[in-house]
Amino acid sequence: MKPDLAGKHALVCGASRGIGRAAAEALAGLGADVTVLARNRDALDALARTLPKNHGAQRHGWLAADVADTGALRSAVEAMVAAHPVQILINNTGGPNPGPAIDASGDQFVDTFRRHLLASHALVQATIGGMRSAGYGRIVNVISTSVKEPIRNLGVSNTIRGAVANWAKTLATELAPEAITVNNVLPGFTRTQRLEQIIEERVASTGKSRNQIESSMLASVPAARFAEAAEVAAAIAFLASPAASYITGINLPVDGGRTQSL
Ligand SMILES: NC(=O)c1ccc[n+]([C@@H]2O[C@H](COP(=O)([O-])OP(=O)(O)OC[C@H]3O[C@@H](n4cnc5c(N)ncnc54)[C@H](OP(=O)(O)O)[C@@H]3O)[C@@H](O)[C@H]2O)c1
């Protein structure tokens, strides 16, 4: 079954590269109009020009915004949806800096809470009108397997991801009667710039080779390989589609079996 998203408009955040970019490509490939959002204007402009178009009415665009400025973000998205309402929202941005929770400052927690939870909340509030009018809404949050099993040395991330997961579950219950679903995708190790950064940091901090670091990471992955961004994007696209109409309030790991909890 190939879902058809013709006539639906998706706003995909963190889409200039990595998982967000792959999600934009997957949703456009299913026929959705796609607006890509991130900070890098040149990358967004180039991507919007090359996203797939399956039918004559399909149109793509981009919006440059920093999720750290939630007021400006909300205003920019409200202006955009006034002309082109959104029915599919993919909440995604760069991951928080690593480090143990015990060393994190209060400001680090507050800043991460703003960029992850408050930005996502502003985006939901800015787009929900289009979902309600269409009688069709899909909110997919890209977070982390740490909501099931906290990950070592990601203290701030573990904390804020948990808050985002509980916010999403709460919204899922509130919005289900309106045919608006809210779900979380939890990527495992996925080949993106973020993963490269993590590997390089571990090489630098341990003095081990890149091969040794990758092997030790893969030892925890039953599938014995890293994911491609397109594999995470396929799960996002499914949850955004009509095929997932009765799925809401879930955490979906896309991690090659790495998470051991059910
Ligand atoms: N890759 C993995 O292995 C993995 C595993 C688990 C969880 N995750 C999580 O999944 C999410 C996406 O990961 P990824 O690997 O695709 O990351 P990535 O390659 O670093 O891409 C992050 C995207 O977010 C955008 N972004 C970053 N800061 C932003 C800001 N302040 N305002 C607006 N956009 C911003 C970036 O674009 P600009 O720089 O142009 O703004 C980019 O498009 C992250 O939260 C990450 O922690 C990833």
Coordinates of all heavy atoms in Angstrom, one line a residue, residues 13-20 37-40 43 65-68 92-96 115-116 142-145 157 161 186-195 197-198, ligand 1:
C13 N 10.3 20.3 10.1 CA 11.4 21.2 10.8 C 12.7 20.4 10.9 O 12.7 19.2 10.7 CB 10.9 21.5 12.2 SG 9.3 22.4 12.2
G14 N 13.8 21.2 11.0 CA 15.1 20.6 11.0 C 15.4 19.8 9.7 O 16.0 18.8 9.7
A15 N 14.9 20.5 8.6 CA 14.9 19.7 7.3 C 16.0 20.1 6.4 O 16.1 19.6 5.3 CB 13.6 20.0 6.6
S16 N 17.0 20.9 6.8 CA 18.1 21.3 5.9 C 19.1 20.1 5.7 O 19.8 20.1 4.7 CB 18.8 22.5 6.4 OG 19.5 22.3 7.6
R17 N 19.0 19.1 6.6 CA 19.9 17.9 6.4 C 19.3 16.8 7.3 O 18.3 17.0 8.0 CB 21.3 18.2 6.8 CG 21.5 18.7 8.3 CD 22.9 18.9 8.7 NE 23.0 19.1 10.1 CZ 23.1 20.4 10.7 NH1 23.0 21.4 9.9 NH2 23.1 20.5 12.0
G18 N 20.0 15.6 7.3 CA 19.7 14.5 8.2 C 18.3 14.0 8.1 O 17.7 13.9 7.0
I19 N 17.8 13.6 9.3 CA 16.5 12.9 9.3 C 15.4 13.8 8.8 O 14.5 13.4 8.1 CB 16.2 12.5 10.8 CG1 17.2 11.4 11.2 CG2 14.8 12.0 11.0 CD1 17.2 11.1 12.7
G20 N 15.4 15.1 9.1 CA 14.4 16.0 8.7 C 14.3 16.1 7.2 O 13.3 16.1 6.5
L37 N 11.8 23.7 7.1 CA 12.2 24.8 8.0 C 13.5 24.5 8.7 O 13.7 23.3 9.1 CB 11.1 25.0 9.0 CG 11.2 26.1 10.1 CD1 9.8 26.6 10.5 CD2 12.0 25.7 11.3
A38 N 14.4 25.4 8.8 CA 15.6 25.3 9.5 C 16.3 26.7 9.5 O 15.6 27.7 9.2 CB 16.5 24.2 8.9
R39 N 17.6 26.8 9.8 CA 18.2 28.1 9.8 C 19.0 28.4 8.5 O 19.1 29.5 8.0 CB 19.2 28.3 10.9 CG 18.5 28.3 12.3 CD 19.5 28.0 13.4 NE 20.2 26.8 13.2 CZ 21.1 26.3 14.1 NH1 21.5 27.0 15.1 NH2 21.7 25.2 13.8
N40 N 19.5 27.3 7.8 CA 20.3 27.5 6.6 C 19.5 27.8 5.4 O 19.0 26.8 4.7 CB 21.2 26.2 6.5 CG 22.2 26.4 5.4 OD1 22.0 27.1 4.4 ND2 23.3 25.7 5.5
A43 N 20.6 26.0 2.0 CA 20.3 24.6 1.9 C 18.8 24.4 1.8 O 18.3 23.5 1.0 CB 20.7 23.9 3.2
A65 N 14.0 29.8 10.0 CA 13.7 30.2 11.4 C 14.6 29.5 12.4 O 15.0 28.4 12.1 CB 12.2 29.9 11.7
D66 N 14.8 30.1 13.5 CA 15.6 29.5 14.6 C 14.6 29.1 15.7 O 13.9 29.9 16.2 CB 16.6 30.5 15.1 CG 17.6 29.9 16.1 OD1 17.2 28.9 16.7 OD2 18.6 30.5 16.3
V67 N 14.6 27.8 16.0 CA 13.6 27.3 17.0 C 13.9 27.9 18.4 O 13.0 27.8 19.3 CB 13.5 25.8 17.1 CG1 13.0 25.2 15.7 CG2 14.8 25.2 17.5
A68 N 15.1 28.5 18.6 CA 15.4 29.1 19.9 C 14.5 30.3 20.1 O 14.3 30.7 21.3 CB 16.9 29.4 20.0
N92 N 11.1 18.6 14.7 CA 12.5 18.1 14.7 C 13.5 19.2 14.7 O 13.2 20.2 14.1 CB 12.6 17.2 13.4 CG 14.0 16.7 13.2 OD1 14.6 16.0 14.1 ND2 14.6 17.0 12.1
T93 N 14.6 19.0 15.5 CA 15.6 20.0 15.4 C 16.9 19.3 15.9 O 16.9 18.1 16.1 CB 15.3 21.2 16.4 OG1 16.3 22.2 16.2 CG2 15.2 20.8 17.8
G94 N 18.0 20.1 16.0 CA 19.3 19.5 16.4 C 19.2 19.0 17.8 O 18.5 19.5 18.6
G95 N 20.0 17.9 18.0 CA 20.1 17.3 19.4 C 20.8 18.2 20.4 O 21.7 18.9 20.0
P96 N 20.5 18.1 21.7 CA 21.2 18.8 22.7 C 22.6 18.4 22.9 O 23.0 17.2 22.5 CB 20.4 18.4 24.0 CG 19.1 17.9 23.5 CD 19.4 17.3 22.2
R115 N 14.1 25.1 23.1 CA 14.3 24.7 21.7 C 13.6 23.4 21.3 O 13.2 23.2 20.1 CB 15.8 24.5 21.4 CG 16.5 25.8 21.3 CD 18.0 25.7 20.8 NE 18.8 25.0 21.8 CZ 19.3 23.8 21.6 NH1 19.1 23.2 20.4 NH2 20.0 23.2 22.5
H116 N 13.3 22.6 22.3 CA 12.6 21.3 22.0 C 11.1 21.4 22.4 O 10.3 21.2 21.5 CB 13.3 20.2 22.7 CG 14.6 19.8 22.1 ND1 14.8 18.8 21.2 CD2 15.8 20.5 22.1 CE1 16.0 18.9 20.7 NE2 16.7 19.8 21.3
V142 N 10.2 14.0 16.4 CA 11.4 13.2 16.3 C 12.2 13.4 17.6 O 12.7 14.5 17.9 CB 12.3 13.6 15.1 CG1 13.5 12.7 15.0 CG2 11.5 13.5 13.8
I143 N 12.3 12.4 18.5 CA 12.9 12.6 19.8 C 14.0 11.6 19.9 O 15.0 11.6 19.1 CB 12.0 12.7 20.9 CG1 10.9 11.7 21.0 CG2 11.3 14.1 20.8 CD1 10.0 11.8 22.2
S144 N 14.0 10.7 20.9 CA 15.1 9.8 21.1 C 14.7 8.5 21.9 O 13.7 8.6 22.7 CB 16.2 10.5 21.9 OG 17.1 9.6 22.4
T145 N 15.4 7.4 21.7 CA 15.1 6.2 22.5 C 15.3 6.4 24.0 O 14.9 5.6 24.8 CB 16.0 5.0 22.0 OG1 17.4 5.4 22.1 CG2 15.7 4.6 20.6
S157 N 19.6 16.0 27.6 CA 18.7 15.5 26.5 C 17.7 14.5 27.1 O 16.5 14.5 26.9 CB 19.6 14.8 25.5 OG 18.8 14.2 24.5
R161 N 13.9 15.2 26.7 CA 13.1 14.3 25.8 C 11.9 13.7 26.6 O 10.9 13.5 26.0 CB 14.0 13.2 25.3 CG 15.3 13.6 24.6 CD 15.0 14.2 23.3 NE 16.2 14.2 22.5 CZ 16.3 14.7 21.3 NH1 15.3 15.4 20.7 NH2 17.4 14.7 20.6
L186 N 11.5 7.5 17.6 CA 12.7 7.5 18.4 C 13.8 6.9 17.5 O 13.9 5.6 17.4 CB 12.5 6.6 19.6 CG 11.1 6.8 20.4 CD1 11.1 5.8 21.6 CD2 10.9 8.2 20.8
P187 N 14.6 7.7 16.9 CA 15.7 7.1 16.1 C 16.8 6.4 16.9 O 17.1 6.9 18.0 CB 16.3 8.3 15.3 CG 15.4 9.5 15.7 CD 14.7 9.2 16.9
G188 N 17.3 5.4 16.4 CA 18.6 4.8 16.9 C 19.7 5.5 16.2 O 19.6 6.6 15.7
F189 N 20.9 4.9 16.3 CA 22.1 5.5 15.6 C 21.8 5.6 14.1 O 21.6 4.6 13.4 CB 23.3 4.6 15.8 CG 23.8 4.4 17.2 CD1 24.1 3.1 17.7 CD2 23.9 5.5 18.0 CE1 24.5 2.9 19.0 CE2 24.4 5.3 19.4 CZ 24.6 4.0 19.8
T190 N 21.8 6.8 13.6 CA 21.4 7.1 12.2 C 22.4 7.9 11.5 O 22.9 8.9 12.1 CB 20.0 7.8 12.2 OG1 19.1 7.2 13.0 CG2 19.5 8.0 10.8
R191 N 22.9 7.5 10.3 CA 24.0 8.1 9.6 C 23.6 9.5 9.2 O 23.0 9.7 8.2 CB 24.4 7.3 8.4 CG 25.2 6.1 8.8 CD 26.4 6.0 7.8 NE 27.2 4.8 8.1 CZ 28.2 4.8 8.9 NH1 28.7 5.9 9.5 NH2 28.9 3.7 9.2
T192 N 23.9 10.5 10.1 CA 23.7 11.9 9.8 C 24.9 12.7 10.3 O 25.8 12.1 11.0 CB 22.4 12.5 10.5 OG1 22.7 12.4 11.9 CG2 21.2 11.6 10.1
Q193 N 24.9 14.0 10.1 CA 25.9 14.9 10.7 C 26.0 14.8 12.2 O 27.1 14.8 12.8 CB 25.6 16.3 10.3 CG 26.8 17.3 10.5 CD 26.5 18.6 9.8 OE1 26.2 18.7 8.7 NE2 26.7 19.7 10.6
R194 N 24.8 14.6 12.8 CA 24.8 14.5 14.3 C 25.5 13.2 14.7 O 26.3 13.3 15.7 CB 23.3 14.4 14.7 CG 23.0 13.8 16.1 CD 23.1 14.9 17.1 NE 22.6 14.5 18.4 CZ 22.9 15.1 19.6 NH1 23.5 16.2 19.6 NH2 22.4 14.6 20.7
L195 N 25.4 12.1 14.0 CA 26.1 10.9 14.4 C 27.6 11.0 14.2 O 28.4 10.6 15.0 CB 25.5 9.7 13.6 CG 26.1 8.3 14.0 CD1 25.6 7.9 15.4 CD2 25.7 7.2 13.0
Q197 N 29.2 13.7 14.4 CA 29.7 14.6 15.5 C 30.0 13.7 16.8 O 31.0 13.8 17.5 CB 28.7 15.7 15.8 CG 29.0 16.7 16.8 CD 27.8 17.5 17.2 OE1 26.7 17.3 16.7 NE2 28.0 18.5 18.1
I198 N 29.0 12.8 17.1 CA 29.1 12.0 18.3 C 30.3 11.0 18.1 O 31.1 10.9 19.1 CB 27.8 11.2 18.5 CG1 26.7 12.1 18.9 CG2 28.0 10.0 19.5 CD1 25.3 11.5 18.9
Ligands
LIG1 N1 21.3 10.8 14.1 C1 21.1 10.0 15.2 O1 21.8 9.0 15.3 C2 20.0 10.3 16.2 C3 19.8 9.4 17.2 C4 18.8 9.6 18.1 C5 18.1 10.9 18.1 N2 18.4 11.7 17.1 C6 17.7 13.0 17.1 O2 17.0 13.2 16.0 C7 17.0 14.6 15.7 C8 17.5 14.9 14.2 O3 18.8 14.3 14.2 P1 19.7 14.4 12.9 O4 20.7 13.3 13.1 O5 18.9 14.5 11.7 O6 20.4 15.8 13.2 P2 21.3 16.8 12.3 O7 21.9 16.1 11.1 O8 22.2 17.5 13.2 O9 20.2 17.8 11.7 C9 19.5 18.7 12.6 C10 18.6 19.6 11.8 O10 18.0 20.6 12.7 C11 18.2 21.9 12.2 N3 18.4 22.8 13.4 C12 19.4 22.7 14.3 N4 19.3 23.7 15.2 C13 18.2 24.5 14.8 C14 17.6 25.6 15.3 N5 18.1 26.2 16.4 N6 16.6 26.2 14.6 C15 16.1 25.5 13.5 N7 16.6 24.4 13.0 C16 17.7 23.9 13.7 C17 19.5 21.8 11.4 O11 19.5 22.8 10.4 P3 20.2 24.3 10.4 O12 21.6 24.0 11.0 O13 20.1 24.7 9.0 O14 19.3 25.1 11.3 C18 19.3 20.4 10.7 O15 18.4 20.6 9.6 C19 17.8 15.3 16.8 O16 17.0 15.8 17.8 C20 18.7 14.2 17.2 O17 19.2 14.3 18.6 C21 19.3 11.5 16.2

